[in-house]
Amino acid sequence: MFRYPTDRRQFLKLALAASTMPLFPVFGFGEDSSDDRTAWYRTAKFGMFIHWGPYSLASVEASWPIMTPKPGGISEAEYCDLHKRFNPDKFDPQSFVDLARLAGQQYMVFTTKHHDGFCMFDSAYTDYKITNTPYAKDIVAQLSQACHKSDMPLGFYYSPPDLHHPGFRDTTKLAKDNWNGEPTRPEWPLYLDYMQLQLTELLTNYGPVALIWFDGLHHQEKYGGVRFLDLIHKLQPRALVNDRIGVPGDYQTPEQFIPNAIPTKDVSITGVDASVQEKLKRTVPKPEDFQLWETCMTINNTWAYNIHDRDYKSSEFLIRGLVEVTSRGGNFLLNVGPQPDGLIQPEFQDRLRDIGAWLTVNGESIYGTTYGPVQNIPAIRTTAKHGKIFVHVFDWKSPNLELPGIESKVTSARLLDGGKVLKFRQAEGRLQIEVPAIAPDAHVSVISLTTL
């Protein structure tokens, strides 16, 4: 087994050496030239999350089988040996990027290291990594090159918990006994130095980094997150950071659910606990009160590849999810878990293509928009930008669609699908639009309103 340096001076020497590595030029994501680091992200709206590692061989979730093991499940020893036969020889990084583009996704986030500690990049500070597998090549390097070649912003998921590192926990015990980490042990500062070294590698060896997606789990204050924010801002000033390392980030990250109202800065909404959304006000907030957010979601029920999980969300569900998220000002980070051979399964590809086909027609109503003026009406969702309001109709009823709450004067209405101009009447705060008998889109039809 790899022996981690146990002398803190040695760690600090390594950290100093890493911090002097040559930096890549700062990349201005998107076309916005303002100082708003989040401008490209607010415009993008839709991204691809990728959970991938040796765990795909066993069709089990990333890390959790050894954190909360189930009777009859994979043992910790078996899980930790999976990398010895991990050989995704069909992996083609350009095909990942091309699929994301086809789906209409505007950025990608890749799991460089999950809680199990296995690195999908060639870190100099551990041997528990992709280059010590039969595959023997740096996955992150290949995906980074493909993304940069295609002008696809790439972010890195990096787990602060690391069940493999003896500084994070006493590894003579089973992970189920101490997977939250042991910050009171004298080895803890060594682990934080290790984190700094690895983040420095990711921020200096792989070109422009769009964002760092931490996943600190419980008691995140133990990581001293300010230290790592400072490191990121120094090495990649344009990179965004999420909210899962114990300090406020650039955006918040609910998981596997869509908030039922527009998130605001007075409510912290992150992780899997959907009950926090009960604190949200079901009103349209002022722009200065809005909280930037992103929900991450799986296409089936698992983040990692699982041959047994056939419970796929429908294309309509996912398209409507994207609309729902966007109508409340958020971003939608939709996950794929590649197979152990490096391919993305056809069921995922089919759904991503369906979303992309819908966006080809209706993307104007998603990209670059924010939450719309009409909320809390079950049949519709609205988004808005630059003198336009987009009405997404979930429940199409002819001959008239009635909308309350649009105060701006409407000057025209048209269908995005086909461009048909629609007649309308506006009076006393209500808008009535004459619509065709048949919805132009089977999933979500969109009406574009031009306003003064």
Side-chain angles (χ1 to χ4, degrees):
M1 177 177 285
F2 179 81
R3 296 182 61 83
Y4 294 90
T6 55
D7 182 271
R8 192 159 192 262
R9 290 182 181 178
Q10 183 182 358
F11 253 81
L12 291 175
K13 287 179 181 178
L14 291 170
L16 179 61
S19 67
T20 59
M21 294 177 184
L23 299 182
F24 287 82
V26 172
F27 178 63
F29 298 104
E31 298 179 358
D32 190 279
S33 60
S34 72
D35 291 332
D36 185 356
R37 292 164 48 252
T38 66
W40 72 269
Y41 181 81
R42 293 172 186 265
T43 298
K45 290 300 172 186
F46 187 30
M48 175 183 281
F49 213 176
I50 304 172
H51 278 69
W52 194 28
Y55 41 81
S56 60
L57 284 164
S59 282
V60 296
E61 195 58 281
S63 306
W64 287 96
I66 62 174
M67 297 160 66
T68 56
K70 293 181 173 60
I74 190 171
S75 72
E76 185 166 333
E78 291 169 333
Y79 182 99
C80 292
D81 278 348
L82 288 172
H83 74 285
K84 295 178 182 178
R85 54 188 181 92
F86 187 51
N87 186 21
D89 56 359
K90 295 181 181 178
F91 171 58
D92 174 11
Q94 191 61 51
S95 71
F96 280 32
V97 179
D98 291 344
L99 180 60
R101 285 288 189 215
L102 192 63
Q105 292 167 311
Q106 301 298 304
Y107 62 105
M108 302 172 76
V109 181
F110 184 80
T111 48
T112 63
K113 184 191 78 165
H114 208 266
H115 312 320
D116 56 16
F118 183 82
C119 294
M120 293 288 279
F121 64 105
D122 187 22
S123 174
Y125 308 108
T126 181
D127 68 348
Y128 194 43
K129 58 184 178 178
I130 188 64
T131 48
N132 284 338
T133 67
Y135 183 69
K137 290 178 283 190
D138 189 328
I139 293 284
V140 172
Q142 294 176 71
L143 184 60
S144 296
Q145 291 164 9
C147 283
H148 302 150
K149 177 182 176 182
S150 302
D151 293 326
M152 172 67 79
L154 176 64
F156 294 146
Y157 170 109
Y158 181 86
S159 167
D162 188 322
L163 305 182
H164 190 74
H165 196 287
F168 179 77
R169 69 181 189 94
D170 181 354
T171 52
T172 65
K173 301 177 181 177
L174 291 175
K176 69 181 180 65
D177 296 325
N178 55 8
W179 59 264
N180 269 312
E182 298 173 303
T184 59
R185 295 171 69 231
E187 295 89 348
W188 185 257
L190 294 175
Y191 177 66
L192 297 183
D193 291 341
Y194 175 76
M195 279 183 60
Q196 178 160 333
L197 288 166
Q198 288 204 319
L199 284 167
T200 299
E201 289 179 310
L202 290 170
L203 293 164
T204 56
N205 292 348
Y206 297 96
V209 177
L211 59 88
I212 296 293
W213 213 102
F214 287 118
D215 196 5
L217 300 181
H218 308 304
H219 306 292
Q220 296 173 8
E221 68 281 355
K222 63 179 175 278
Y223 300 110
V226 170
R227 165 186 183 175
F228 300 109
L229 286 186
D230 289 346
L231 177 71
I232 295 165
H233 293 156
K234 173 187 174 184
L235 298 179
Q236 294 266 1
R238 299 284 295 178
L240 305 184
V241 187
N242 74 337
D243 61 337
R244 297 195 185 190
I245 195 166
V247 292
D250 293 299
Y251 60 98
Q252 295 187 357
T253 52
E255 179 176 329
Q256 293 283 45
F257 74 95
I258 300 171
N260 59 13
I262 301 169
T264 50
K265 292 176 181 176
D266 59 334
V267 179
S268 177
I269 185 161
T270 192
V272 298
D273 182 8
S275 68
V276 296
Q277 64 187 331
E278 297 173 5
K279 301 176 183 178
L280 296 173
K281 301 178 181 67
R282 299 176 70 83
T283 57
V284 178
K286 297 177 181 178
E288 59 269 25
D289 295 331
F290 170 70
Q291 172 60 58
L292 192 62
W293 65 282
E294 168 194 84
T295 198
C296 55
M297 187 175 289
T298 55
I299 292 178
N300 49 8
N301 293 315
T302 48
W303 297 100
Y305 172 73
N306 190 321
I307 195 172
H308 310 294
D309 184 356
R310 314 294 295 179
D311 188 15
Y312 304 111
K313 299 173 179 70
S314 68
S315 296
E316 179 172 280
F317 181 96
L318 296 170
I319 291 168
R320 291 188 173 199
L322 172 61
V323 170
E324 192 97 34
V325 168
T326 309
S327 75
R328 292 173 193 146
N331 282 29
F332 192 39
L333 188 62
L334 187 60
N335 183 75
V336 296
Q339 299 172 170
D341 62 3
L343 299 178
I344 294 175
Q345 65 192 85
E347 294 87 353
F348 289 177
Q349 294 193 41
D350 290 345
R351 285 155 177 78
L352 290 171
R353 290 190 180 97
D354 287 346
I355 299 171
W358 184 88
L359 282 167
T360 297
V361 175
N362 300 290
E364 182 186 354
S365 71
I366 300 295
Y367 303 124
T369 65
T370 188
Y371 51 87
V374 181
Q375 300 284 325
N376 309 313
I377 297 180
I380 66 165
R381 304 292 183 270
T382 61
T383 59
K385 66 177 176 185
H386 310 311
K388 288 186 179 294
I389 297 171
F390 300 96
V391 183
H392 301 80
V393 186
F394 286 10
D395 185 11
W396 188 269
K397 292 182 179 180
S398 65
N400 296 314
L401 174 69
E402 293 204 13
L403 293 173
I406 295 183
E407 299 177 359
S408 303
K409 180 177 175 58
V410 176
T411 60
S412 70
R414 66 179 178 89
L415 294 172
L416 285 189
D417 189 347
K420 179 180 175 62
V421 175
L422 304 176
K423 295 180 180 180
F424 66 92
R425 292 177 294 278
Q426 186 176 22
E428 299 180 352
R430 298 190 72 85
L431 180 70
Q432 187 180 77
I433 307 171
E434 295 182 22
V435 298
I438 300 175
D441 189 278
H443 304 306
V444 183
S445 297
V446 185
I447 299 171
S448 172
L449 306 177
T450 301
T451 62
L452 293 178

